[in-house]
Structures are given as C-alpha cells and as structure tokens.
DNA sequence: CCCTGATTCGC
DNA sequence: GCGAATCAGG
C-alpha cells in the first residue's frame, strides 16, 4: 500500500481527530501502526496527547543527560534537535486521551454557557463555534467490523474517483464501508467543500481564554447521510 | 502483558 | 519516503 492523497488525508484527519495510530492503521488497512505513526511524523503532524510523553514537568533539571536511545552498536553523536515542544496544544482531555470516543453522548448538550460565536465565511457559510456541532449526531462511530453490506446504491454516490475541484469532498460515512462516499455538492468556490460543509470544516475561533478542547470529532466528522 | 506514541535507521 | 524494530511511559 502506498500513501495516496486520500489515504494521507484520512490519516491526517483521523490523527487530528484523536484516533489512535492503531485505529488509523486498521481503518486504512494494509499498513501497520508504526507506518501510520511514521507517516504522521513525516507529515509534520506530531505530538498529540501521547500517553508516553505525558511528562512535561517544569523540573527539567533532573536528567538532561540523554540516554543513547539507540542501543545499536552505532556510535552516534547525540545531537538531537530537541524538538521544541509545541506547548500543550488544546488537546483531548485526560479522559479520552486514548482516542476513544467519549461515552458522553452529547458533548455540548445542555451547556449554553458558552458564547455562541458565529461568523460568516467567504462563501456565505456560517461558521460554528467549537462544540457547536449539531448535537447528537454520532456518539460513536462503529469501528472494527464492517458489515460488508452488499450495497448496490453506491452507484449514484460520489466516489473517490468522482472527486474533482468542483465537488464537495466531505466524506459521508467511513472509509472501508461499502457505501462510503463523498458529499458531491457543488463546492464553495475556493474551498474543498460545499457551503454547508464549509460551515463544519471551518469553525469560528472562540475568544482567548474561553476555548475548550475541540470536540474529538469522530473520524470523518459527523455521520450525516 | 496490554496499550500508547516517539525514534532510529536500513532499505 | 517508508516502516520494522525498538524504546519508553501508562
């Protein structure tokens, strides 16, 4: 398997959506977890709430001395760029650090305390505020077993091959499912999505300080059909 | 042991 | 660029 545009896009989307590397690898198929991680890094995506690197204590004095990390008999000057850590991006909370979809059905159900931020995008689409996602859509995207439903109705749906600059590339469903397809509506000029999906793709910024970790949107965004 | 992501390095 | 092997933490 090679990293095509779409597979890379899927990887990126899922990675940013909080899926674990294993899940992504499984979804894509034909690649290992390591491959996904490796690719993610090469893409520049990196460092998410990683369980293993959670430590970021202010006390750096403890052990600056690096461990050779490479136990291979190769003598290598430990000149590591010392990645400037991106300083805790508002990432998933501790409860769902594992990338699992939160069991809470409505991330934003009764909470109206947040200011409703709405702004108008270039195409006239309304940006939603983070967490303003139309509430209840997907509590949990069914992963793992794909029914392999012999669906004949994918004929008139926009498939991967039907994508062009003119049609909305918003994914409907999940890759691997028999009826996975794309929105296919006419795009909002200058964007990869139609006006409606631009509203989902591009969200308004909350004022500083009022931000919350982005709702770990399940891969591919809300399951709308 | 299971899981996670990070890193290295031969290909 | 890719990803197995490995490391390291939970």
């Amino acid at each position: 398997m090679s990293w095509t545009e779409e597979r890379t896009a899927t990887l990126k989307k899922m990675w940013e959506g909080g899926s674990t590397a294993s899940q992504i690898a499984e979804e894509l198929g034909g690649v290992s977890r390591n491959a996904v991680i490796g690719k993610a890094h090469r893409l520049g995506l990196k460092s998410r709430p990683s369980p293993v690197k959670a430590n970021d204590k202010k006390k750096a004095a403890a052990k600056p001395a690096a461990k050779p990390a490479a136990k291979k008999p190769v003598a290598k000057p430990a000149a590591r760029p010392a990645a400037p850590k991106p300083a805790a991006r508002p990432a998933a909370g501790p409860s769902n650090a594992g990338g699992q979809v939160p069991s809470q059905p409505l991330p934003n159900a009764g909470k109206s305390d947040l200011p409703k931020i709405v702004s108008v995008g270039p195409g006239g689409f309304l940006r939603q505020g983070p967490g303003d996602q139309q509430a209840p859509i997907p509590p949990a995207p069914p992963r793992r077993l794909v029914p392999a439903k012999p669906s004949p109705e994918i004929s008139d749906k926009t498939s991967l091959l039907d994508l062009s600059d003119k049609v909305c590339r918003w994914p409907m469903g999940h890759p691997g499912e028999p009826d996975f397809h794309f929105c296919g509506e006419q795009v909002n000029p200058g964007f990869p999505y139609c006006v409606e999906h631009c509203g989902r793709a591009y969200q308004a910024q909350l004022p500083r300080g009022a931000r919350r970790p982005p709702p770990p949107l399940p891969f591919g965004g809300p399951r709308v059909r």
Side-chain angles (χ1 to χ4, degrees):
Chain A
M1 273 300 192
S2 62
W3 287 105
T4 63
E5 279 288 327
E6 278 306 320
R7 287 165 63 79
T8 300
T10 300
L11 157 60
K12 190 172 179 181
K13 200 159 203 161
M14 291 184 74
W15 184 271
E16 290 172 348
S19 302
T20 66
S22 299
Q23 290 174 326
I24 299 172
E26 188 184 311
E27 183 73 59
L28 290 172
V31 287
S32 69
R33 178 183 77 94
N34 281 323
V36 168
I37 293 176
K39 180 60 178 176
H41 284 192
R42 270 172 255 124
L43 279 174
L45 310 167
K46 60 173 186 291
S47 172
R48 270 189 308 155
S50 146
V52 77
K53 277 220 154 108
N55 59 28
D56 194 72
K57 289 142 180 123
K58 294 174 181 175
K59 18 177 68 181
K63 37 187 80 169
K67 31 156 283 333
K71 54 159 182 320
K72 309 232 163 178
V74 178
K76 180 168 49 87
R80 186 176 295 119
K85 41 178 167 1
R89 198 227 270 91
S95 57
N96 57 3
Q100 303 297 347
V101 175
S103 52
Q104 284 298 336
L106 308 183
N108 201 27
K111 314 215 79 170
S112 304
D113 340 40
L114 292 173
K116 265 207 168 165
I117 301 292
V118 176
S119 62
V120 181
F125 62 83
L126 295 184
R127 291 190 175 103
Q128 333 179 51
D132 198 22
Q133 237 85 356
Q134 268 73 30
I137 315 193
R143 321 202 68 274
R144 301 270 166 197
L145 305 177
V146 173
K149 170 182 59 174
S151 179
E153 51 204 349
I154 48 178
S155 339
D156 54 337
K157 303 241 164 75
T158 301
S159 80
L160 189 55
L161 300 177
D162 298 325
L163 290 179
S164 76
D165 291 3
K166 304 298 181 196
V167 301
C168 179
R169 302 166 123 88
W170 192 266
M172 313 288 274
H174 294 64
E177 292 182 1
D179 58 342
F180 174 67
H181 63 287
F182 295 87
C183 171
E185 275 297 316
Q186 186 177 41
V187 293
N188 180 17
F191 293 87
Y193 308 120
C194 66
V195 170
E196 176 192 341
H197 286 136
C198 271
R200 289 184 170 279
Y202 305 100
Q203 304 194 343
Q205 283 281 82
L206 284 175
R208 285 195 169 273
R211 300 189 188 164
R212 298 188 323 162
L217 78 160
F219 161 67
R223 248 177 126 76
V224 239
R225 300 220 185 173

